[in-house]
Amino acid sequence: MKFFVDTADVDAIRELHELGMVDGVTTNPSLIMKSGRDIKEVTAEICAMVPGPVSAETVALDADGMIAEGRELAKIADNITIKVPLTWAGLQACKVLSGEGRMVNVTLCFSANQALLAAKAGATFISPFVGRLDDINIDGMDLIAEIRQIYDNYDFSTEILTASIRSANHMKEAALIGADVATAPPNVIKAMANHVLTDKGLDAFMADWAKTGQSIV
Ligand code: E4P
């Protein structure tokens, strides 16, 4: 499973990128707002660092506006993925932009039928939001499993980009189901390294090592 990092915080991306943990980046209008940066400037900086797909989201609500914004965002770098919402207009924009050979990430997906439409419209990525489904007591991971089955049934090449990930457990579940990609905030990716027994075991080893009076270097 590829790891995308869900942030526009350049320093946080760099830390994970240096460890080889970043296959791509996703941003959205809220993350750009949080960064306090100009969208084109910060996106260009991210694209220069990360060679994989970097999603930049359109904000127009009509197809022509999304297409115009998508073409403008695509000028930033070759690895830009244009992110459009899963509305009828978004699907129309997806069809045009993907037809021009551009990568398109269809976002705000909350149902298998929406994912099916995005694949038909030529999406490179579909972004089902698991955390926001969990928030309303619908199991977000059930949606990932449904989309996996549908895409496999018909050999769609659209990649499942599990989004709105809130926990390390979400990462594990997405990988078990066979999502192609998971995009997560930096703290969630780092939390995957944590285990209480690792901490406990390390404490015990350190206590015993101190009793030996030895040093390695
Ligand atoms: C990614 O593409 C999405 O914009 C992001 O995962 C949304 O996450 P949230 O539901 O935590 O805001």
Side-chain angles (χ1 to χ4, degrees):
M1 185 171 72
K2 286 176 273 192
F3 282 16
F4 287 6
V5 59
D6 197 27
T7 186
D9 180 334
V10 174
D11 291 335
I13 296 168
R14 185 175 296 107
E15 183 188 359
L16 291 168
H17 180 54
E18 283 170 357
L19 267 182
M21 298 290 178
V22 180
D23 300 303
V25 174
T26 51
T27 65
N28 62 37
S30 302
L31 293 170
I32 295 294
M33 183 272 294
K34 203 170 156 192
S35 76
R37 304 271 312 270
D38 173 81
I39 182 171
K40 290 183 184 172
E41 187 188 286
V42 72
T43 307
E45 213 174 305
I46 295 167
C47 287
M49 180 184 359
V50 176
V54 174
S55 288
E57 190 159 341
T58 58
V59 292
L61 297 179
D62 62 300
D64 286 345
M66 288 179 208
I67 293 164
E69 288 177 356
R71 288 175 181 153
E72 185 65 23
L73 290 168
K75 290 179 191 165
I76 295 172
D78 288 343
N79 53 334
I80 283 287
T81 300
I82 302 158
K83 209 173 175 191
V84 296
L86 213 157
T87 57
W88 198 251
L91 293 170
Q92 290 170 323
C94 174
K95 182 70 181 164
V96 171
L97 292 166
S98 62
E100 293 173 351
R102 307 179 197 276
M103 290 188 288
V104 180
N105 175 359
V106 181
T107 190
L108 288 166
C109 170
F110 294 95
S111 78
N113 276 337
Q114 288 182 315
L116 184 50
L117 290 174
K120 301 284 279 183
T124 316
F125 300 102
I126 182 69
S127 289
F129 277 32
V130 295
R132 294 191 195 188
L133 282 169
D134 288 354
D135 288 346
I136 58 164
N137 293 319
I138 295 173
D139 190 337
M141 283 299 160
D142 286 350
L143 175 59
I144 303 302
E146 286 179 355
I147 300 171
R148 180 73 284 154
Q149 187 178 333
I150 290 169
Y151 281 9
D152 288 351
N153 284 348
Y154 299 102
D155 280 335
F156 283 118
S157 58
T158 302
E159 295 191 32
I160 301 173
L161 197 175
T162 308
S164 188
I165 282 185
R166 304 274 169 77
S167 67
N169 207 40
H170 275 155
M171 294 295 279
K172 181 190 78 174
E173 290 176 14
L176 281 170
I177 291 167
D180 301 285
V181 191
T183 189
N187 64 318
V188 170
I189 294 174
K190 291 174 87 171
M192 292 169 74
N194 298 341
H195 199 289
V196 65
L197 291 180
T198 304
D199 297 340
K200 196 175 165 194
L202 195 55
D203 284 348
F205 286 156
M206 292 306 100
D208 288 342
W209 181 249
K211 289 175 203 159
T212 71
Q214 298 179 46
S215 65
I216 295 175
V217 287

